[in-house]
Amino acid sequence: MATTEIITVQRRRKYHWPEAQLNFWLVIMIISSSVILGIFAYLTSIQNSLKLGIPWILPYMITTSALCIIFIIILLGLISQQQLLPGVVVLGSFILFVLWLTGLIETSIQLYGPSGAVNSYCGSKPNTQVIDGQQTATWLANQGLCTDWRAAFAFEIVGTVFLLWMMVMAYQVNRDDFD
């Protein structure tokens, strides 16, 4: 009786990620997500303390930025095990790109949209004839909220562009296009 041996060889493809670009992307996205999370959580607490309705963009961006932070933690785990696959990165980055782009569009509408937008209140100056402590505090609070909205808008632009960049980088890693 002859015995037949079947030998299977598994080859595991190694993907070479550009370390400097990947680390830069991770740092910028952690910063962007954290800033967005903090700003929109702060704006939500302001709305709650004033007993006003909460626009859908506030919890939406809190959730989106938290999902981005979770995605980054997952990426860090895969990087530490040297199992970061471009397909996983492209899929996660695309989903987050769509979420961030939606948030960016709505934030721009809230900030620069039609009458009653946040930016229309940002240029108001206090009455210079009568200046008291309460009026000054109100003006400072108003300017702080305007700055928060503008910072959120700026960091959403950065996050959206960087997610697009990550999709391109993962595609290049998959094709071995890096020198």
Side-chain angles (χ1 to χ4, degrees), residues 6 22 30 47 50 71 83 121 154 162 179:
I6 299 176
L22 185 61
I30 287 171
Q47 292 288 105
L50 296 174
F71 178 66
Q83 294 181 352
Y121 298 108
F162 269 65
D179 301 78

Side-chain angles (χ1 to χ4, degrees), residues 5 15 19 23 25 31 34 49 66 75 79 89 95 100 104-106 118 125 137 155-156 158 160 166-167 172 178-179:
E5 249 184 75
Y15 294 100
E19 290 181 25
N23 289 336
W25 184 88
I31 291 169
S34 300
S49 68
L75 289 182
I79 289 169
V89 175
I95 292 169
W100 277 67
L104 176 64
I105 292 168
E106 179 60 23
V118 173
K125 296 187 178 171
F155 276 101
E156 284 177 27
V158 169
T160 304
M166 178 49 91
M167 287 187 286
Q172 289 175 334
F178 284 103
D179 301 78

Side-chain angles (χ1 to χ4, degrees), residues 49-65:
S49 68
L50 296 174
K51 295 182 178 29
L52 297 173
I54 298 175
W56 69 270
I57 189 64
L58 300 182
Y60 176 84
M61 284 311 296
I62 290 170
T63 305
T64 300
S65 59

Side-chain angles (χ1 to χ4, degrees), residues 36-111:
I36 295 295
L37 181 66
I39 287 174
F40 283 105
Y42 173 69
L43 293 174
T44 301
S45 71
I46 295 291
Q47 292 288 105
N48 281 335
S49 68
L50 296 174
K51 295 182 178 29
L52 297 173
I54 298 175
W56 69 270
I57 189 64
L58 300 182
Y60 176 84
M61 284 311 296
I62 290 170
T63 305
T64 300
S65 59
L67 285 173
C68 190
I69 291 171
I70 291 169
F71 178 66
I72 291 169
I73 291 169
I74 291 170
L75 289 182
L76 289 171
L78 291 172
I79 289 169
S80 71
Q81 297 173 0
Q82 296 180 350
Q83 294 181 352
L84 185 60
L85 301 175
V88 172
V89 175
V90 168
L91 181 64
S93 296
F94 177 74
I95 292 169
L96 287 170
F97 173 77
V98 171
L99 293 173
W100 277 67
L101 185 61
T102 304
L104 176 64
I105 292 168
E106 179 60 23
T107 301
S108 68
I109 291 170
Q110 292 287 330
L111 188 57

